[in-house]
């Protein structure tokens, strides 16, 4: 039971904020020497860690390949972001009620 608001029923893979957090981690990996990428990724899921490291390596490669490759990579990321879902923190706000504070 969620005492303060309705539960967010979206999976982690559907949530826009999680997608953006993962993309930020991929940027961090891309800026890190490849042999140290595993040292700057944190997750309780090995699949997510691999996603971050692979995504960071892909981003690093796009940068190395030049402006057009990076543009394509960012367009692909933007398109993927467009499929994600964002929700408010409180259902009270959606119903027009007031929030605490």
């Amino acid at each position: 039971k969620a005492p303060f608001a309705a539960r967010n029923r979206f999976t982690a893979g559907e949530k826009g904020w999680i997608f953006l957090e993962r993309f930020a981690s991929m940027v961090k990996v891309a800026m890190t020497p490849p042999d140290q990428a595993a040292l700057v990724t944190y997750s309780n899921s090995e699949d997510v860690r691999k996603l971050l490291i692979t995504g960071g390596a892909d981003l690093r490669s796009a940068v190395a390949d030049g402006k057009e490759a990076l543009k394509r990579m960012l367009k692909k990321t933007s398109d993927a972001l467009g499929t994600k879902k964002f929700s408010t923190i409180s259902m009270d706000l959606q119903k027009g009620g007031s929030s605490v504070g």
Side-chain angles (χ1 to χ4, degrees):
K1 182 177 171 182
F4 300 108
R7 287 192 188 272
N8 185 330
R9 303 220 185 268
F10 301 134
T11 65
E14 295 174 303
K15 294 177 182 177
W17 290 115
I18 290 178
F19 179 85
L20 290 171
E21 289 173 358
R22 289 177 180 174
F23 181 71
S25 293
M26 289 177 196
V27 170
K28 180 173 67 171
V29 168
M31 296 181 346
T32 302
D35 63 328
Q36 295 179 17
L39 301 174
V40 298
T41 55
Y42 305 95
S43 177
N44 58 355
S45 166
E46 189 58 30
D47 289 340
V48 171
R49 281 189 77 238
K50 287 177 185 175
L51 174 76
L52 300 176
I53 292 169
T54 302
D58 292 346
L59 187 55
R60 186 185 306 108
S61 292
V63 169
D65 290 343
K67 188 176 182 177
E68 289 304 314
L70 180 58
K71 252 183 170 174
R72 284 190 302 275
M73 175 76 151
L74 294 177
K75 171 80 169 100
K76 181 179 169 185
T77 302
S78 177
D79 290 347
L81 178 60
T83 68
K84 304 303 175 185
K85 296 174 173 60
F86 291 85
S87 63
T88 59
I89 295 171
S90 171
M91 290 303 289
D92 290 339
L93 298 175
Q94 288 182 0
K95 295 177 183 177
S98 63
S99 61
V100 176

